Amino acid sequence: MKNKSFVSINDLSRDKILSLLETAEQFEANPNSDILAGKVVGSLFFEPSTRTRLSFETAAKRLGARVIGFSDAATSSATKGETLKDTIMMVSSYADVIAMRHKLEGAARYVSEVSPVPIINAGDGANQHPSQTMLDLYSIKKTQGTLEGLNIHLVGDLKYGRTVHSLLHAMRHFNPTFHFIAPEELHMPEEYRMFCRENNIPFTETTEFNEDVIANADIIYMTRVQRERFSDLMEYEKVKNCYRLTNSMLDGTKENLRILHPLPRVNEISYDVDNNPKAYYFQQAQNGLYVREAIICDVLGIEI
Ligand code: CP
C-alpha cells in the first residue's frame, strides 16, 4: 500500500484497534476542534448511505476540514463511463483523504493501491465495512466495559452482511463466543466458519430465534435482510421477515445485554424495543462520529 489507507479490519492489529478506540474516547469527550483546518475530505458514495456518509462528513467538519464529493453516483461522471481509477485520480488531486462506498467487493483495496491519498473504506459490497466495525467495537467496549470473553449473537443476514463479517474478523483478538442465528438461505458463509475454527473461536449455529437462544447473550447484533444484495427477488421475499426482536423476548435476558444494529432497520426490531434500556442502536450510530474522527486523523497521520 502506498499510503496509510483504512481498507479492511484485517489490516489492524489488536493494539491498533485499541489505540483507535482510545482516540475515539478522547473525541467523545471533546468532539470539536480545528486540527483538520486546511484539509479537504473527499466523500464519494457510489451506494446509498445515511449514517456513514453523514458521520464521516460531520467528523471532518467538526475537526475543521472541508468536504467535497457526491452522495449519488448518478450525479457524477461515472454515468458517462469514467472509470473508478480515473475518478479517484481526479478527486485525489483535490482532497487530502477520500472516504468511499462502492458496491463492488474489493473496490476500496483496488483504489487504495492507485490513489496518492489515503482511502477510507466506507463499505465495499458484501465484503467489509471497517469503520462500522470500529464503532461496533467502541459500543461493545463502552457498554460491557471490556471486549474480552463475550457471548455475541449475530442475527439475520449473515450471508451478505458485511458488518457481521468485519465484526467477526475484528473480534478474533478478544476471545469471543459467537452464536450465528440465520435462516438456511442466509447462513454464515463457510469461509467465516473456517476462520472461527482456525482462530479457535467457539461458535454455535441455529435457525431458531427465541428467548432460549438469547438467554446468555451479552450482545445481540441484529441485521437487516438486504434487498439490494439479492439477484432473485423471489428469494428475498422468502426470507425478508425471518426474524423480529420484540420487547417481551428481552424479559429473561442478562442485565448487561445490549442490542446493536448497524441500521437502517426495516422490521427486524420491533419499535417497542426502542425504549428498553438494553436497546443501544441509536447511541451506537452516534459513536460513529467519534470513531470516524479518530480514523480520519489516523490516516492523515495527525496526532491529537
Ligand atoms: N450502518 C450503515 O452503514 O448505515 P448507512 O448505510 O446509512 O451508512
Side-chain angles (χ1 to χ4, degrees):
M1 238 184 296
K2 280 193 300 190
N3 54 54
K4 198 179 175 189
S5 290
F6 183 85
V7 171
S8 165
I9 204 73
N10 302 336
D11 297 335
L12 306 186
S13 67
R14 183 179 195 276
D15 285 351
K16 184 68 189 178
I17 288 172
L18 293 174
S19 154
L20 280 170
L21 296 180
E22 255 177 50
T23 308
E25 266 177 46
Q26 289 175 257
F27 279 125
E28 180 170 4
N30 183 15
N32 303 309
S33 79
D34 59 0
I35 53 173
L36 294 186
K39 300 289 185 193
V40 175
V41 175
S43 169
L44 306 188
F45 278 72
F46 293 87
E47 272 199 320
S49 167
T50 296
R51 278 146 293 275
T52 310
R53 183 175 70 80
L54 292 177
S55 60
F56 265 122
E57 295 185 4
T58 306
K61 290 177 180 181
R62 282 190 180 274
L63 298 180
R66 283 163 292 171
V67 176
I68 61 168
F70 51 80
S71 57
D72 177 1
T75 65
S76 80
S77 286
T79 55
K80 301 175 198 164
E82 184 164 57
T83 64
L84 181 57
K85 180 181 177 188
D86 284 0
T87 302
I88 291 295
M89 293 310 287
M90 287 318 310
V91 177
S92 64
S93 68
Y94 310 139
D96 299 288
V97 52
I98 297 172
M100 183 187 83
R101 172 171 287 186
H102 201 282
K103 69 177 180 202
L104 289 182
E105 295 174 27
R109 177 70 71 198
Y110 167 66
V111 298
S112 77
E113 285 168 3
V114 298
S115 170
V117 302
I119 300 294
I120 300 174
N121 183 3
D124 61 331
N127 185 34
Q128 283 259 337
H129 193 353
S131 67
Q132 175 72 44
T133 304
M134 289 305 302
L135 76 90
D136 294 341
L137 295 174
Y138 189 84
S139 302
I140 293 170
K141 185 163 182 280
K142 191 170 168 185
T143 59
Q144 305 299 313
T146 180
L147 288 168
E148 290 291 340
L150 299 171
N151 268 303
I152 300 182
H153 289 50
L154 304 175
V155 184
D157 178 0
L158 307 189
K159 180 177 180 184
Y160 300 111
R162 59 191 173 196
T163 62
V164 293
H165 299 160
S166 292
L167 182 61
L168 186 147
H169 277 154
M171 287 303 298
R172 76 186 184 279
H173 300 296
F174 305 107
N175 305 306
T177 299
F178 279 116
H179 305 271
F180 302 148
I181 303 161
E184 293 291 353
E185 296 86 342
L186 296 175
H187 68 66
M188 187 61 87
E190 178 54 22
E191 70 176 282
Y192 295 101
R193 286 186 271 158
M194 180 85 80
F195 177 88
C196 287
R197 289 185 206 107
E198 285 170 359
N199 288 277
N200 298 316
I201 298 171
F203 67 92
T204 66
E205 288 188 279
T206 178
T207 57
E208 302 296 320
F209 183 49
N210 56 39
E211 288 82 347
D212 292 340
V213 169
I214 62 175
N216 70 340
D218 298 307
I219 293 291
I220 298 178
Y221 194 97
M222 298 296 297
T223 63
R224 171 177 67 98
V225 177
Q226 303 171 86
R227 187 176 187 275
E228 64 273 25
R229 305 281 175 231
F230 284 79
S231 50
D232 180 349
L233 285 184
M234 293 292 285
E235 290 299 310
Y236 168 73
E237 289 297 323
K238 273 194 239 167
V239 290
K240 69 178 184 185
N241 295 319
C242 55
Y243 302 132
R244 185 172 174 82
L245 180 66
T246 60
N247 207 25
S248 61
M249 287 172 72
L250 298 173
D251 286 348
T253 53
K254 289 169 74 172
E255 203 54 44
N256 64 302
L257 168 68
R258 291 296 177 273
I259 317 300
L260 303 186
H261 190 311
L263 302 177
R265 140 179 74 176
V266 183
N267 53 12
E268 57 280 358
I269 300 180
S270 165
Y271 288 103
D272 65 5
V273 177
D274 292 0
N275 292 329
N276 191 309
K278 294 176 181 175
Y280 193 73
Y281 26 93
F282 294 120
Q283 296 97 316
Q284 177 190 0
Q286 183 181 334
N287 291 336
L289 172 62
Y290 317 126
V291 163
R292 289 177 174 126
E293 288 185 322
I295 293 169
I296 294 171
C297 288
D298 185 65
V299 298
L300 286 171
I302 291 172
E303 304 224 343
I304 67 159

